[in-house]
Amino acid sequence: WLKKDMQPTEDLKSVIQRMSMFGPIQSVTACGRQSAVVVFKNVTSACKAVNAFQSRIPGTMFHCSWQHRFMSKD
């Protein structure tokens, strides 16, 4: 997380641009200064994104993980 007086290095537009390289995006929702939920139109695109950014190495700007309807309580 960023310190309060620092600006984010990525914005929503750059996240969309970066994630769209994996396939068509259905929606993007900002979830604070450092996170967003990206919904891809197909599972294959989501798999590509998760595989590309699954590393938790310090300094890595992106990290992707799974969320699917069956994982929520609703």
Side-chain angles (χ1 to χ4, degrees), residues 4-5 7-9 12 18-20 23 26 30-31 37-38 44 47 49 53-54 62 64 69 72 74:
K4 289 183 180 180
D5 60 342
Q7 292 296 316
T9 56
L12 205 52
R18 194 137 182 206
M19 292 293 111
S20 66
Q26 182 174 323
C31 298
V37 174
V38 178
T44 303
C47 288
F53 297 110
Q54 62 186 352
F62 281 82
C64 292
R69 286 186 196 125
S72 68
D74 298 328

Side-chain angles (χ1 to χ4, degrees), residues 1-72:
W1 295 105
L2 292 175
K3 293 181 181 180
K4 289 183 180 180
D5 60 342
M6 294 180 70
Q7 292 296 316
T9 56
E10 299 285 340
D11 61 9
L12 205 52
K13 184 177 178 179
S14 65
V15 169
I16 292 168
Q17 182 179 8
R18 194 137 182 206
M19 292 293 111
S20 66
M21 65 189 276
F22 299 106
I25 294 174
Q26 182 174 323
S27 66
V28 178
T29 306
C31 298
R33 295 179 71 202
Q34 288 290 286
S35 63
V37 174
V38 178
V39 178
F40 288 95
K41 289 187 178 181
N42 58 61
V43 174
T44 303
S45 299
C47 288
K48 290 177 186 177
V50 170
N51 287 335
F53 297 110
Q54 62 186 352
S55 172
R56 290 192 181 257
I57 299 169
T60 302
M61 291 183 4
F62 281 82
H63 173 76
C64 292
S65 60
W66 282 105
Q67 178 65 31
H68 194 277
R69 286 186 196 125
F70 71 83
M71 297 170 79
S72 68

